[in-house]
Amino acid sequence: MNNSEKPTLEKKFKGSIIAVSIIIPVAVAILFSVKLKDLGFHVEPLSFLPPIYAAINGITAILLILAVMAIKKGNRKSHEKLMTMAIGCSVVFLVMYVAYHMTAGDTKFGDLNGDGILDASEKAQAGAIRFVYYFILITHILLSIIIIPMVLFSYVRALANEFDRHKKLAKITFPIWLYVAVTGVIVYLMIAPYYVK
């Protein structure tokens, strides 16, 4: 029987998936704090990127929904292509996100004058929506870290033709990944008015 062989692919990639799942968030955190101008590079802020990577998040959400619709109709090939595209979009998003933050200053929600300081009047003007923004942002970030191994293990299980195990994990992975993609768009729309022009 092939049952003894089936877990082999997942076991083979388990160490790599765990390593990648740790390396990506750590690398992003480190690169996020590195500003190229502080290293002596004269680079203009890539201020055109946020709407692009927000749109990529939106596209990812659409791809995920289409992929689920495809598999429910029994179209495995289409599902596989759509999921591969969704993973590709997530990688492109990540590269653009890091590139933007390495070239641009930090943007504070509610900072109307763009001076990097949130004074009392700006806090009052932003009101309670600041807490909504930070809740969405924090859950978006935490779940984007959690989703990495879930997506990779789901993908490997599908490659190994372990469709029962794939489906079981994908049922948890899908809503979390969809939440991350959709909240990526929401976070952008909420912070966009405060980007320094």
Side-chain angles (χ1 to χ4, degrees), residues 36-175:
L36 292 178
K37 66 178 182 177
D38 296 340
L39 299 174
F41 295 98
H42 300 288
V43 180
E44 287 296 313
L46 301 174
S47 54
F48 63 92
L49 285 179
I52 297 171
Y53 63 65
I56 289 171
N57 266 325
I59 291 166
T60 302
I62 292 166
L63 289 169
L64 291 172
I65 292 166
L66 291 174
V68 169
M69 290 168 63
I71 202 64
K72 286 190 179 216
K73 290 178 182 173
N75 192 339
R76 191 174 283 173
K77 280 282 178 205
S78 181
H79 173 77
E80 185 183 329
K81 285 178 187 172
L82 290 162
M83 292 308 296
T84 303
M85 288 167 62
I87 291 171
C89 282
S90 293
V91 171
V92 171
F93 160 81
L94 191 60
V95 171
M96 287 184 173
Y97 180 78
V98 170
Y100 170 74
H101 284 285
M102 288 180 75
T103 62
D106 295 329
T107 304
K108 290 190 166 122
F109 187 86
D111 184 14
L112 289 167
N113 61 8
D115 65 356
I117 301 163
L118 207 58
D119 62 34
S121 67
E122 288 173 324
K123 282 183 183 177
Q125 196 166 348
I129 198 76
R130 278 179 59 234
F131 300 107
V132 173
Y133 169 78
Y134 284 114
F135 173 79
I136 295 169
L137 178 65
I138 290 165
T139 56
H140 169 81
I141 291 168
L142 292 175
L143 291 173
S144 70
I145 294 167
I146 291 167
I147 199 67
I148 296 168
M150 296 176 80
V151 168
L152 295 175
F153 277 116
S154 293
Y155 198 72
V156 167
R157 287 178 182 182
L159 287 177
N161 295 324
E162 295 181 51
F163 296 116
D164 288 341
R165 296 181 74 232
H166 166 76
K167 186 177 178 183
K168 190 175 179 181
L169 182 56
K171 281 185 177 182
I172 303 164
T173 305
F174 168 73

